[in-house]
PDB file of all heavy atoms in Angstrom:
ATOM      1  N   ASN A 224      -3.414   9.724   5.245  1.00 85.00           N
ATOM      2  CA  ASN A 224      -2.134  10.114   5.824  1.00 85.00           C
ATOM      3  C   ASN A 224      -1.035   9.705   4.860  1.00 85.00           C
ATOM      4  O   ASN A 224      -0.920   8.518   4.526  1.00 85.00           O
ATOM      5  CB  ASN A 224      -1.886   9.430   7.163  1.00 85.00           C
ATOM      6  CG  ASN A 224      -2.758   9.973   8.254  1.00 85.00           C
ATOM      7  OD1 ASN A 224      -2.971  11.175   8.340  1.00 85.00           O
ATOM      8  ND2 ASN A 224      -3.281   9.092   9.082  1.00 85.00           N
ATOM      9  N   ILE A 225      -0.222  10.660   4.424  1.00 88.00           N
ATOM     10  CA  ILE A 225       0.946  10.344   3.608  1.00 88.00           C
ATOM     11  C   ILE A 225       2.093  10.068   4.570  1.00 88.00           C
ATOM     12  O   ILE A 225       2.435  10.911   5.398  1.00 88.00           O
ATOM     13  CB  ILE A 225       1.291  11.504   2.655  1.00 88.00           C
ATOM     14  CG1 ILE A 225       0.141  11.724   1.671  1.00 88.00           C
ATOM     15  CG2 ILE A 225       2.597  11.224   1.928  1.00 88.00           C
ATOM     16  CD1 ILE A 225       0.311  12.943   0.789  1.00 88.00           C
ATOM     17  N   ASN A 226       2.680   8.890   4.463  1.00 87.00           N
ATOM     18  CA  ASN A 226       3.757   8.497   5.361  1.00 87.00           C
ATOM     19  C   ASN A 226       5.130   8.549   4.714  1.00 87.00           C
ATOM     20  O   ASN A 226       6.136   8.551   5.416  1.00 87.00           O
ATOM     21  CB  ASN A 226       3.505   7.094   5.914  1.00 87.00           C
ATOM     22  CG  ASN A 226       2.271   7.067   6.786  1.00 87.00           C
ATOM     23  OD1 ASN A 226       1.910   8.062   7.396  1.00 87.00           O
ATOM     24  ND2 ASN A 226       1.606   5.934   6.837  1.00 87.00           N
ATOM     25  N   SER A 227       5.189   8.545   3.378  1.00 91.00           N
ATOM     26  CA  SER A 227       6.483   8.570   2.708  1.00 91.00           C
ATOM     27  C   SER A 227       6.331   9.139   1.307  1.00 91.00           C
ATOM     28  O   SER A 227       5.323   8.896   0.639  1.00 91.00           O
ATOM     29  CB  SER A 227       7.062   7.149   2.636  1.00 91.00           C
ATOM     30  OG  SER A 227       8.381   7.166   2.140  1.00 91.00           O
ATOM     31  N   ILE A 228       7.332   9.912   0.891  1.00 92.00           N
ATOM     32  CA  ILE A 228       7.376  10.518  -0.440  1.00 92.00           C
ATOM     33  C   ILE A 228       8.753  10.265  -1.033  1.00 92.00           C
ATOM     34  O   ILE A 228       9.763  10.376  -0.334  1.00 92.00           O
ATOM     35  CB  ILE A 228       7.131  12.040  -0.372  1.00 92.00           C
ATOM     36  CG1 ILE A 228       5.773  12.341   0.236  1.00 92.00           C
ATOM     37  CG2 ILE A 228       7.273  12.682  -1.742  1.00 92.00           C
ATOM     38  CD1 ILE A 228       5.540  13.814   0.520  1.00 92.00           C
ATOM     39  N   ALA A 229       8.796   9.929  -2.327  1.00 92.00           N
ATOM     40  CA  ALA A 229      10.071   9.769  -3.036  1.00 92.00           C
ATOM     41  C   ALA A 229       9.964  10.478  -4.378  1.00 92.00           C
ATOM     42  O   ALA A 229       8.952  10.371  -5.072  1.00 92.00           O
ATOM     43  CB  ALA A 229      10.394   8.289  -3.242  1.00 92.00           C
ATOM     44  N   VAL A 230      11.004  11.222  -4.736  1.00 90.00           N
ATOM     45  CA  VAL A 230      11.096  11.886  -6.034  1.00 90.00           C
ATOM     46  C   VAL A 230      12.169  11.152  -6.828  1.00 90.00           C
ATOM     47  O   VAL A 230      13.244  10.865  -6.306  1.00 90.00           O
ATOM     48  CB  VAL A 230      11.458  13.375  -5.872  1.00 90.00           C
ATOM     49  CG1 VAL A 230      11.583  14.054  -7.226  1.00 90.00           C
ATOM     50  CG2 VAL A 230      10.411  14.082  -5.019  1.00 90.00           C
ATOM     51  N   TYR A 231      11.874  10.843  -8.100  1.00 85.00           N
ATOM     52  CA  TYR A 231      12.827  10.086  -8.912  1.00 85.00           C
ATOM     53  C   TYR A 231      12.682  10.462 -10.373  1.00 85.00           C
ATOM     54  O   TYR A 231      11.690  11.079 -10.770  1.00 85.00           O
ATOM     55  CB  TYR A 231      12.625   8.583  -8.716  1.00 85.00           C
ATOM     56  CG  TYR A 231      11.284   8.077  -9.186  1.00 85.00           C
ATOM     57  CD1 TYR A 231      11.148   7.454 -10.418  1.00 85.00           C
ATOM     58  CD2 TYR A 231      10.142   8.245  -8.410  1.00 85.00           C
ATOM     59  CE1 TYR A 231       9.915   7.000 -10.860  1.00 85.00           C
ATOM     60  CE2 TYR A 231       8.913   7.786  -8.840  1.00 85.00           C
ATOM     61  CZ  TYR A 231       8.800   7.171 -10.069  1.00 85.00           C
ATOM     62  OH  TYR A 231       7.586   6.729 -10.502  1.00 85.00           O
ATOM     63  N   GLY A 232      13.678  10.063 -11.178  1.00 80.00           N
ATOM     64  CA  GLY A 232      13.640  10.357 -12.607  1.00 80.00           C
ATOM     65  C   GLY A 232      13.539  11.857 -12.829  1.00 80.00           C
ATOM     66  O   GLY A 232      14.110  12.648 -12.085  1.00 80.00           O
ATOM     67  N   ILE A 233      12.811  12.235 -13.837  1.00 79.00           N
ATOM     68  CA  ILE A 233      12.600  13.646 -14.134  1.00 79.00           C
ATOM     69  C   ILE A 233      11.248  14.060 -13.557  1.00 79.00           C
ATOM     70  O   ILE A 233      10.209  13.903 -14.186  1.00 79.00           O
ATOM     71  CB  ILE A 233      12.673  13.915 -15.654  1.00 79.00           C
ATOM     72  CG1 ILE A 233      14.026  13.491 -16.174  1.00 79.00           C
ATOM     73  CG2 ILE A 233      12.382  15.378 -15.945  1.00 79.00           C
ATOM     74  CD1 ILE A 233      14.191  13.620 -17.656  1.00 79.00           C
ATOM     75  N   ASN A 234      11.285  14.520 -12.321  1.00 80.00           N
ATOM     76  CA  ASN A 234      10.107  15.052 -11.639  1.00 80.00           C
ATOM     77  C   ASN A 234       8.969  14.050 -11.450  1.00 80.00           C
ATOM     78  O   ASN A 234       7.802  14.427 -11.491  1.00 80.00           O
ATOM     79  CB  ASN A 234       9.581  16.298 -12.352  1.00 80.00           C
ATOM     80  CG  ASN A 234      10.591  17.415 -12.343  1.00 80.00           C
ATOM     81  OD1 ASN A 234      11.286  17.600 -11.366  1.00 80.00           O
ATOM     82  ND2 ASN A 234      10.679  18.130 -13.440  1.00 80.00           N
ATOM     83  N   ASN A 235       9.279  12.783 -11.248  1.00 88.00           N
ATOM     84  CA  ASN A 235       8.256  11.807 -10.887  1.00 88.00           C
ATOM     85  C   ASN A 235       8.189  11.740  -9.365  1.00 88.00           C
ATOM     86  O   ASN A 235       9.208  11.803  -8.686  1.00 88.00           O
ATOM     87  CB  ASN A 235       8.589  10.433 -11.449  1.00 88.00           C
ATOM     88  CG  ASN A 235       8.463  10.398 -12.951  1.00 88.00           C
ATOM     89  OD1 ASN A 235       7.399  10.648 -13.485  1.00 88.00           O
ATOM     90  ND2 ASN A 235       9.560  10.112 -13.630  1.00 88.00           N
ATOM     91  N   ILE A 236       6.995  11.586  -8.850  1.00 93.00           N
ATOM     92  CA  ILE A 236       6.776  11.566  -7.410  1.00 93.00           C
ATOM     93  C   ILE A 236       5.963  10.325  -7.061  1.00 93.00           C
ATOM     94  O   ILE A 236       4.970  10.023  -7.727  1.00 93.00           O
ATOM     95  CB  ILE A 236       6.003  12.820  -6.950  1.00 93.00           C
ATOM     96  CG1 ILE A 236       6.754  14.085  -7.369  1.00 93.00           C
ATOM     97  CG2 ILE A 236       5.755  12.790  -5.447  1.00 93.00           C
ATOM     98  CD1 ILE A 236       5.896  15.330  -7.348  1.00 93.00           C
ATOM     99  N   CYS A 237       6.366   9.625  -6.019  1.00 94.00           N
ATOM    100  CA  CYS A 237       5.579   8.512  -5.489  1.00 94.00           C
ATOM    101  C   CYS A 237       5.267   8.817  -4.034  1.00 94.00           C
ATOM    102  O   CYS A 237       6.107   9.337  -3.304  1.00 94.00           O
ATOM    103  CB  CYS A 237       6.351   7.209  -5.578  1.00 94.00           C
ATOM    104  SG  CYS A 237       5.719   6.124  -6.826  1.00 94.00           S
TER     105      CYS A 237
END
Side-chain angles (χ1 to χ4, degrees):
N224 288 319
I225 297 173
N226 295 332
S227 187
I228 300 172
V230 179
Y231 64 100
I233 301 176
N234 297 322
N235 291 300
I236 303 162
C237 252

